[in-house]
Structure formats: C-alpha cells, structure tokens
Amino acid sequence: LEELCVRGIRLNFWGAAGKPYALISSPYLNATVQTRRDQLSAFNDSRGLEFCKAIIEGKVRNQEKVVRYFAKYLKKIDAERFDRVNSVADSLRVQWKKVRTVDAGEIGEKRGVLMGLEGAAGRLYWQAVGEIIKGKTDFIGREHRGATDVVNAMLNYGYGILYGTVWGAVLNA
C-alpha cells in the first residue's frame, strides 16, 4: 500500500454489486491538482461543450450502427419491419448530425438542447430495439428500475456490470 501511495496510484475497493465503497489515495500531489483545475476551467469554456458533444454524437452514432447491423437480418425475412427499423436508423443519423450544429460559449448555455437530442435518440433507439426483437420476447419499452420483463431485467443487470467497469476506469483516470 505504501508503495502505491508513494507512486501516486489510487487503490479502489468494489463491493459485490459493482459499486465502489472505498478509495485509498496518495497524499502526494502529482498531476491531479492541475488536472482538476483544467477540468473545472473546461466547464466554463468551449472545451466542456465540445467534450459533451463528442460523447453524445458518439453514443447516437453507435446506436445507429447497432440498429443498422441488426436490421440487415430483417431485410430477408420481413421487409416491412426492415423498413421501419431502417427508418429509425435514418432518424438516429439526423439526431447525431444535429449534435454537431450545437454551438455556444460553454456547456451551460446548451445543456438542455444536448440532453433533448440525446433523449430523443434514446427513444428512437429503444423503439428500434423493440421492433428488432418483436415476436421473440415481450418488450414494451425501456424500464430502468423495478423491471419485471426479461429484456429489461437483463439490460439492467448488464448495465450494472458496465457501470462498475466504467466507474473504475474513471477513478483510475
């Protein structure tokens, strides 16, 4: 433990649910202070806005790619469903392109706009997922907490595992 602290390496402890419960951090100041200062400064200038735009654009682009990937299998077996799913993929493309056009001096000016674009894309994505898995299982839409259907329960479990992994990466970075 001492050697980790001397080298400025944090040690994270994770519970069974994938959530952090403890963190040992070094008292030695390395690049952490400057990093935090830069992060706080970026909140009030264009860097924060550009960072948020990049995350949202990437997410929606990936949603479009996933929808198109699974839609290709529908093309041979159900042309009408393929057309519906492909139409949603086209709408997702429109959404991520809109993200690129958002402009402001800092994130606070356009947070609502970006969240609206991301939310609209999320609704489109889950609509497409429902169409893709239609007939295979029941899925009436995305339900985050207290899910009673198999699809949402599996998604929530998977997202819980992903949460722990991502949070660990964030803490380490």
Side-chain angles (χ1 to χ4, degrees):
L1 289 174
E2 181 180 353
E3 188 64 26
L4 290 171
C5 289
V6 167
R7 293 176 184 266
I9 298 171
R10 285 188 247 179
L11 186 60
N12 303 295
F13 294 86
W14 302 87
K19 300 220 180 200
Y21 66 85
L23 168 69
I24 295 177
S25 185
S26 172
Y28 298 100
L29 295 177
N30 43 33
T32 304
V33 172
Q34 188 58 47
T35 299
R36 297 294 179 259
R37 286 180 180 154
D38 288 342
Q39 288 170 337
L40 289 170
S41 295
F43 187 76
N44 293 314
D45 63 32
S46 63
R47 293 176 294 171
L49 176 69
E50 293 306 315
F51 179 71
C52 291
K53 285 171 52 176
I55 290 172
I56 294 169
E57 181 185 336
K59 177 186 180 214
V60 178
R61 285 180 80 152
N62 285 338
Q63 287 174 324
E64 178 200 353
K65 288 177 184 179
V66 166
V67 167
R68 289 196 194 281
Y69 176 82
F70 286 105
K72 71 182 180 183
Y73 297 106
L74 291 174
K75 192 171 191 174
K76 297 175 187 175
I77 60 171
D78 192 335
E80 286 182 24
R81 279 176 57 209
F82 169 78
D83 289 341
R84 288 193 296 269
V85 172
N86 205 45
S87 175
V88 171
D90 291 341
S91 296
L92 286 167
R93 176 169 287 191
V94 169
Q95 290 299 103
W96 67 255
K97 286 186 175 186
K98 282 182 185 177
V99 171
R100 287 183 172 178
T101 67
V102 175
D103 193 31
E106 50 95 11
I107 185 62
E109 296 173 31
K110 296 294 180 168
R111 178 179 286 109
V113 172
L114 290 171
M115 289 176 72
L117 290 169
E118 190 274 334
R123 285 186 292 281
L124 288 166
Y125 175 76
W126 291 113
Q127 174 189 340
V129 168
E131 194 65 42
I132 290 166
I133 65 175
K134 189 176 187 176
K136 305 227 184 267
T137 187
D138 293 331
F139 180 72
I140 55 172
R142 186 70 179 102
E143 188 177 327
H144 299 279
R145 295 190 186 264
T148 56
D149 65 289
V150 174
V151 174
N152 277 302
M154 288 189 307
L155 286 167
N156 291 347
Y157 180 73
Y159 282 136
I161 292 169
L162 181 62
Y163 173 86
T165 302
V166 170
W167 188 243
V170 167
L171 287 174
N172 286 335

